[in-house]
Amino acid sequence: MRGFLFGACRSGIQIGCGVFGAINFEKQPVFPYIYWGMRAQNHRGHQSHGFLTYDNGKFHIYRNLDLIPKIKTNAIQEWFGRLPGQVGIANVRYTTSGKCDEKSLIKGTQPVTASKNGLKLAISFNGNVVNTFQLKKEICQKFPSFSYECDADLISHKMLIELMRSNDLASAVETCMQEIEGAFSVVGITKDGEFFAFRDPNGVRPLCAGHSENQATYAFSSETVGLDINSFKRDFEVEPGEFVTVSKNGFHREQLANGHRASCAFEFAYFARPDSCFDDRYVYEVREEFGRNLVKENSTIVKNADIVISVPETGDDAAMGVHEASGLRWERASRRHRYVTERAFILLNKERHATIDKKVNILASKIKGKHVIITEDSIVRGDTTKVVIEKLRKMGAKKVYLFVTFPRIIGPCFYGIDMATYGQLIGSKHNAEEIAHVIGADAVCYQSIENLVKATGFTRDQLCLACVTGKYPTPLAQKIADEMKKRFMEGYEEAGRLYEIEEAIQKA
Ligand code: SF4
């Protein structure tokens, strides 16, 4: 294990994009469950990972950068020794707040802990806090040496402040739900080994619960694939504003806040695994419906096309839908190099172009002279799509029509997806026709917002669609977005990511 960071826990640390937690009531070590639960969700964050278990009043932690490692058989006992106990939480992360140089990434790795006056807790978090400045100010008054590395630090310390006031976990979580603006799906452990989970009142990021067949182990997971890999039965989705604890008798659910549900629509198009399930619908089924919708919306282009291909792998299910609705052959002529695993969207700018070029192999003889529809999940910056289209042109494609399942992204996300400024979004500056010109396609066809909503099975007001409509489900995010848009239109240089944006607004 090269360069790992583990040992007795220290106060403060981290933020994340995929969470898992489990508790066993028959004295089985929890580590294998949290390991596999998190490994199944490594697509939610590549930059760092971490595991934390609780045993005999102590937290034990392991954190490192990059993907979750494979564990060799002869190292299993070593891992069990390092991470003992029957309750544990885990995290994978990519940065949507905080800095992202290597030193900061290490410091920002989750799970985090916070402690004061004999109180202690550990959390793993997925989402993004919007009112960071207000919270930092409050926390620094109570914890003068508080060091912010990521948003999980804010949530864990805010919880601790509220626990010091009330000594009651549910009240502490309730106040957090009232006073923290943003997206937060959290799993955690108290100093007494109590295992809990909660979700922000808008339920922006997913969180579900399940248990083992013999009812000895209970778990929370960002996506259902984390339960499936452990052969756990899915029980329920943690509701927006809900707080859940676990005892031998199962889950205890409490509704602490009645927010307005605004689940992230982008999870359906890009972020979640296709075999994950939201509200009893598999994500891949929704994506197939996206493909069928695109056929309905673009009948003239479909008539003139010879084949459909996909940007592997997030465009695959939509390609299946296009094939079903149009009868066009889904030519599997774009293949992914299996062990080049980086998600282009998550990569840093300088790495992105080189990596996408190496990730996708296009089979020239299947493309040459053809009118090709290519399905893609979304266009954020446009650079990765441009590389794929350049490749198709080089291979002799006569026409390239890009079918995009997620509508045109026109504004930043403040809830845990890394698109924080207007300037980085090609859709904030150009319409579909102009984008086609910039990326070299003959046409760019976005799915309509209306059809996307219908396909998810949710109603429009149950989804966050802020990045495609400009209407944010929380007030400060709306204020920041409006101010940043105004400044962007006036030609001001954008300050950067969310935490910097708010600072810029305060200075304005
Ligand atoms: S702004 Fe877009 S990406 Fe962010 S939570 Fe809302 S729908 Fe998802």
Side-chain angles (χ1 to χ4, degrees):
M1 275 179 276
R2 170 187 51 88
F4 55 75
L5 313 154
F6 78 102
C9 279
R10 54 205 163 102
S11 177
I13 328 229
Q14 307 63 159
I15 128 158
C17 261
V19 301
F20 191 87
I23 187 164
N24 175 275
F25 291 103
E26 288 187 352
K27 298 204 182 325
Q28 295 296 314
V30 78
F31 176 67
Y33 299 118
I34 59 172
Y35 173 79
W36 287 113
M38 210 66 265
R39 186 101 188 260
Q41 300 183 86
N42 222 158
H43 62 289
R44 296 188 72 85
H46 281 178
Q47 286 178 335
S48 66
H49 61 275
F51 302 102
L52 180 145
T53 58
Y54 171 92
D55 187 48
N56 273 332
K58 278 193 188 143
F59 291 143
H60 302 267
I61 192 164
Y62 167 93
R63 297 185 298 261
N64 207 344
L65 298 182
D66 303 323
L67 295 170
I68 296 175
K70 288 180 186 163
I71 297 183
K72 292 190 178 134
T73 316
N74 61 7
I76 288 175
Q77 287 312 321
E78 197 184 337
W79 279 86
F80 281 143
R82 275 181 192 141
L83 293 161
Q86 281 80 56
V87 55
I89 55 177
N91 187 273
V92 288
R93 178 190 190 231
Y94 81 97
T95 330
T96 57
S97 71
K99 296 171 188 160
C100 55
D101 57 278
E102 189 163 323
K103 213 168 142 194
S104 305
L105 286 178
I106 291 169
K107 284 187 183 171
T109 306
Q110 291 192 53
V112 304
T113 62
S115 59
K116 191 165 177 148
N117 299 347
L119 290 170
K120 193 155 101 171
L121 55 85
I123 65 162
S124 167
F125 146 88
N126 172 206
N128 216 85
V129 172
V130 179
N131 57 337
T132 50
F133 277 78
Q134 174 207 324
L135 287 167
K136 271 186 208 168
K137 219 165 133 193
E138 183 188 349
I139 292 166
C140 285
Q141 280 168 0
K142 300 275 178 200
F143 296 83
S145 58
F146 174 72
S147 158
Y148 168 83
E149 304 298 343
C150 62
D151 288 354
D153 286 336
L154 299 174
I155 295 182
S156 56
H157 284 79
K158 175 67 179 160
M159 282 182 74
L160 210 57
I161 289 171
E162 297 311 320
L163 269 176
M164 289 189 302
R165 277 192 189 125
S166 66
N167 205 21
D168 178 71
L169 187 59
S171 330
V173 171
E174 188 172 8
T175 310
C176 286
M177 286 185 184
Q178 286 159 359
E179 295 184 12
I180 299 176
E181 177 175 328
F184 44 93
S185 286
V186 177
V187 293
I189 307 172
T190 67
K191 75 173 182 42
D192 303 315
E194 190 175 1
F195 180 45
F196 63 89
F198 60 91
R199 198 169 170 207
D200 68 77
N202 297 106
V204 179
R205 296 279 145 237
L207 189 64
C208 60
H211 69 272
S212 62
E213 208 178 323
N214 65 358
Q215 303 200 323
T217 310
Y218 294 84
F220 297 104
S221 178
S222 289
E223 291 183 38
T224 56
V225 287
L227 302 175
D228 295 343
I229 199 169
N230 281 305
S231 301
F232 289 170
K233 182 183 173 303
R234 289 174 219 152
D235 283 313
F236 56 91
E237 187 186 334
V238 177
E239 291 295 323
E242 192 174 38
F243 168 63
V244 188
T245 51
V246 188
S247 72
K248 272 184 184 161
N249 301 324
F251 296 106
H252 175 72
R253 305 174 65 177
E254 261 180 276
Q255 192 66 40
L256 298 182
N258 290 311
H260 172 87
R261 186 190 186 113
S263 299
C264 172
F266 199 49
E267 292 273 352
F268 287 97
Y270 172 80
F271 215 49
R273 256 177 62 164
D275 46 340
S276 275
C277 212
F278 293 138
D279 248 21
D280 289 335
R281 296 203 71 193
Y282 283 109
V283 170
Y284 87 86
E285 294 178 295
V286 174
R287 290 180 185 165
E288 285 180 358
E289 183 71 9
F290 289 168
R292 291 190 283 269
N293 289 340
L294 281 160
V295 170
K296 274 186 246 155
E297 292 174 6
N298 300 285
S299 54
T300 312
I301 284 179
V302 170
K303 259 186 225 149
N304 291 324
D306 298 312
I307 53 168
V308 56
I309 67 167
S310 56
V311 171
E313 293 156 347
T314 47
D316 289 351
D317 300 313
M320 179 66 185
V322 171
H323 158 71
E324 281 177 343
S326 66
L328 288 173
R329 178 171 166 76
W330 175 18
E331 193 69 80
R332 263 62 57 86
S334 53
R335 297 286 180 164
R336 194 176 166 148
H337 296 291
R338 190 184 282 185
Y339 297 105
V340 183
T341 52
E342 291 86 347
R343 295 189 104 185
F345 175 50
I346 291 176
L347 291 166
L348 301 176
N349 277 333
K350 60 180 187 291
E351 299 165 342
R352 199 172 292 124
H353 189 284
T355 304
I356 191 71
D357 196 40
K358 288 181 174 50
K359 266 168 82 168
V360 181
N361 191 21
I362 310 261
L363 313 186
S365 64
K366 301 289 175 190
I367 300 295
K368 202 169 177 198
K370 302 258 171 70
H371 290 203
V372 179
I373 290 174
I374 178 160
T375 54
E376 169 68 299
D377 54 86
S378 57
I379 305 179
V380 178
R381 300 165 182 89
D383 47 2
T384 56
T385 322
K386 192 173 174 186
V387 176
V388 174
I389 291 173
E390 271 169 16
K391 277 191 149 199
L392 287 171
R393 296 281 189 206
K394 258 195 227 159
M395 304 290 172
K398 214 165 168 190
K399 295 272 182 193
V400 180
Y401 307 111
L402 187 67
F403 277 19
V404 192
T405 60
F406 200 63
R408 183 162 63 100
I409 297 172
I410 57 166
C413 175
F414 301 122
Y415 307 115
I417 300 282
D418 185 19
M419 27 195 212
T421 65
Y422 285 92
Q424 72 187 154
L425 303 171
I426 193 169
S428 75
K429 295 171 277 190
H430 301 288
N431 62 27
E433 214 172 305
E434 291 162 347
I435 293 170
H437 182 70
V438 173
I439 64 176
D442 292 287
V444 170
C445 308
Y446 287 102
Q447 184 182 199
S448 67
I449 295 175
E450 195 190 11
N451 278 335
L452 171 127
V453 170
K454 259 193 231 157
T456 64
F458 287 87
T459 58
R460 187 166 175 144
D461 66 351
Q462 291 174 320
L463 291 172
C464 175
L465 291 158
C467 54
V468 297
T469 61
K471 296 200 177 358
Y472 291 79
T474 62
L476 183 59
Q478 186 70 59
K479 196 176 144 217
I480 296 172
D482 292 347
E483 181 61 30
M484 289 314 297
K485 191 169 181 187
K486 198 171 123 234
R487 290 161 64 93
F488 178 65
M489 303 301 270
E490 285 166 358
Y492 281 84
E493 201 179 315
E494 288 181 295
R497 306 176 86 145
L498 175 59
Y499 71 113
E500 295 154 323
I501 292 168
E502 190 176 349
E503 190 175 27
I505 285 169
Q506 291 203 345
K507 279 183 191 159

